[in-house]
């Protein structure tokens, strides 16, 4: 067996089931086959990868290294397949899209299904990174386009098409003294924004697009945010705020997907913070027909995330 993903899966099931017999049954293979597979791997490596001496089963230190090796091989294989796809599937056109993961969960389902129906010869490859990394990859030619927010913050040498956007809210859970029972979206005049900004916050990490904008709000009021926790994911930060860990500043598309009531949403003025969606491509590069179609699809969609 040379498939690293399959070996990983077999090891996962064996550790979880804590039994060769139960694991083999779940994997629809024979117990002797599974036992011999693990023994062959251990013989090849020259050391055990599974602690069998005590229950529950666990990976040895060598087993952990081997498991990490399998993950790396699997990742490298995927990257190789992406790079050679234009040779193995010469009739397909590949479009490499850079996007922030949390933004992609809202925008990509709005754009890609219709686009791929109309362009069945196209294969999409996603590169989910922070904004600066996406911008750098686009400028260096590693991706074909970059879908993001706040177009005024990116390199002026790029071609930009903007469309839609969304509003920012402060998420207030019932654990906050500012929470108002029986309400959802508060009137902007019901609370003092500067007071709210002096509460403890859960925020996305520095370097993220949303954190850059959020920092600007605090700077407008000459405040240093009281950050009790930072996350790479604004989805995680929003979920923690909803469950009372602190306040956060999040967007409509994020809140709509994970909202649990009761919470309050305090709208922040567009003058202070605003999201505009964009798709960027290299200006000097001759764009393919498929990429032009993708940009047109982005431009023609209604990409306005709204909470009611």
């Amino acid at each position: 067996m040379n498939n690293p993903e399959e070996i990983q899966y077999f090891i996962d099931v064996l550790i979880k089931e804590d039994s060769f017999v139960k694991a083999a049954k779940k994997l629809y293979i024979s117990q002797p086959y599974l036992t011999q597979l693990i023994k062959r791997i251990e013989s090849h490596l020259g050391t055990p990868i599974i602690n069998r001496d005590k229950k529950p089963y666990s990976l040895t230190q060598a087993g952990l290294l081997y498991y990490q090796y399998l993950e790396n091989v699997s990742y490298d294989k995927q990257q190789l397949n992406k790079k050679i796809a234009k040779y193995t599937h010469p009739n397909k056109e590949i479009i490499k899209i850079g996007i922030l993961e949390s933004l992609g969960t809202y925008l990509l389902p709005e754009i890609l299904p219709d686009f791929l129906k109309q362009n069945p010869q196209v294969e999409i490859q996603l590169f989910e990174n922070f904004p600066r990394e996406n911008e750098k990859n686009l400028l260096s030619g590693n991706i074909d386009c970059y879908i993001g927010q706040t177009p005024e913050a990116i390199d002026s040498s790029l071609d930009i098409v903007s469309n839609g956007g969304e509003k920012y809210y402060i998420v207030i859970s019932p654990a906050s003294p500012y929470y108002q029972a029986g309400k959802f979206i508060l009137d902007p005049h019901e609370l003092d924004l500067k007071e709210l900004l002096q509460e403890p916050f859960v925020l996305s990490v520095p370097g993220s697009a949303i954190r850059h904008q959020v920092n600007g709000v605090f700077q407008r009021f000459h405040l240093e945010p009281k950050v009790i926790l930072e996350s790479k994911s604004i989805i995680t930060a929003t979920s923690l705020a909803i469950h009372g860990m602190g306040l956060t500043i999040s967007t409509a598309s994020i809140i709509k997907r994970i909202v649990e009531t009761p919470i309050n949403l305090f709208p922040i003025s567009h003058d202070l913070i605003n999201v505009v969606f964009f798709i960027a491509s290299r200006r000097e590069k001759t764009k393919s027909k498929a990429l032009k179609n993708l940009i047109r699809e982005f431009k023609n969609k209604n990409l306005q995330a709204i909470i009611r």
Side-chain angles (χ1 to χ4, degrees):
M1 180 189 295
N2 296 316
N3 188 328
E5 292 95 342
E6 193 170 8
I7 296 175
Q8 275 184 280
Y9 180 60
F10 280 22
I11 292 174
D12 287 341
V13 173
L14 178 57
I15 296 297
K16 181 179 180 180
E17 295 298 324
D18 201 27
S19 161
F20 278 84
V21 174
K22 292 179 180 178
K25 185 176 180 181
K26 187 167 185 177
L27 293 166
Y28 300 100
I29 59 175
S30 69
Q31 178 267 319
Y33 177 83
L34 180 59
T35 301
Q36 288 303 313
L37 172 66
I38 298 299
K39 284 184 176 180
R40 283 199 302 272
I41 293 170
E42 293 178 331
S43 176
H44 177 73
L45 295 174
T47 184
I49 63 169
I50 305 288
N51 283 315
R52 303 175 181 77
D53 296 334
K54 60 180 180 179
K55 297 268 185 145
Y57 284 170
S58 62
L59 290 173
T60 64
Q61 288 300 309
L64 290 169
L65 292 173
Y66 178 67
Y67 193 89
Q68 185 178 36
Y69 161 78
L70 292 174
E71 289 181 326
N72 291 336
V73 170
S74 177
Y75 176 78
D76 289 342
K77 180 183 175 184
Q78 291 170 9
Q79 296 307 303
L80 176 62
N81 288 338
K82 285 183 177 181
K83 290 178 180 179
I84 67 172
K86 62 182 177 181
Y87 305 109
T88 56
H89 300 88
N91 295 325
K92 274 190 173 288
E93 182 175 344
I94 297 167
I95 299 180
K96 300 176 181 178
I97 302 175
I99 194 166
L100 182 67
E101 180 185 2
S102 58
L103 189 61
T105 55
Y106 167 63
L107 286 181
L108 294 179
E110 297 288 326
I111 300 165
L112 291 185
D114 288 342
F115 169 75
L116 291 173
K117 282 180 184 177
Q118 297 164 14
N119 299 268
Q121 81 288 359
V122 174
E123 177 183 323
I124 299 294
Q125 294 181 0
L126 294 180
F127 296 78
E128 296 169 310
N129 291 303
F130 278 151
R132 290 303 172 204
E133 191 66 25
N134 284 323
E135 183 179 343
K136 185 172 71 174
N137 283 335
L138 179 56
L139 289 167
S140 62
N142 293 326
I143 58 177
D144 301 301
C145 59
Y146 159 35
I147 297 176
Q149 56 193 37
T150 61
E152 64 274 11
I154 72 167
D155 195 293
S156 59
S157 68
L158 296 170
D159 278 339
I160 308 295
V161 173
S162 299
N163 179 25
E166 56 184 332
K167 197 172 184 64
Y168 276 97
Y169 299 87
I170 294 181
V171 179
I172 306 170
S173 81
S176 169
Y178 290 93
Y179 175 73
Q180 297 183 30
K183 296 183 179 180
F184 182 42
I185 299 179
L186 303 179
D187 187 281
H189 303 293
E190 289 188 75
L191 295 172
D192 183 87
L193 177 57
K194 187 172 183 178
E195 280 188 26
L196 284 177
L197 294 176
Q198 295 175 67
E199 289 292 295
F201 273 80
V202 182
L203 297 176
S204 58
V205 296
S208 63
I210 192 168
R211 181 62 182 274
H212 173 74
Q213 292 186 299
V214 165
N215 284 346
V217 175
F218 283 96
Q219 288 165 10
R220 285 282 293 270
F221 289 90
H222 306 289
L223 295 172
E224 186 74 26
K226 297 177 183 176
V227 182
I228 56 176
L229 186 68
E230 294 176 324
S231 172
K232 287 185 177 181
S233 168
I234 184 56
I235 298 173
T236 299
T238 304
S239 183
L240 289 170
I242 286 171
H243 287 85
M245 193 161 177
L247 304 184
T248 198
I249 297 178
S250 191
T251 58
S253 62
I254 300 297
I255 298 165
K256 282 173 71 173
R257 282 180 281 122
I258 60 175
V259 68
E260 296 179 22
T261 52
I263 61 167
N264 291 157
L265 298 179
F266 182 79
I268 303 178
S269 168
H270 281 290
D271 295 335
L272 288 173
I273 188 169
N274 188 26
V275 170
V276 175
F277 303 133
F278 70 84
I279 184 168
S281 55
R282 295 188 301 284
R283 183 170 298 165
E284 73 282 359
K285 182 177 173 61
T286 302
K287 296 178 179 60
S288 68
K289 181 180 178 182
L291 182 56
K292 289 179 181 177
N293 289 344
L294 178 63
I295 293 170
R296 187 180 303 112
E297 185 74 24
F298 177 92
K299 183 178 181 180
N300 292 338
K301 285 291 184 181
N302 179 13
L303 301 176
Q304 195 75 39
I306 299 172
I307 293 181
R308 292 182 175 87

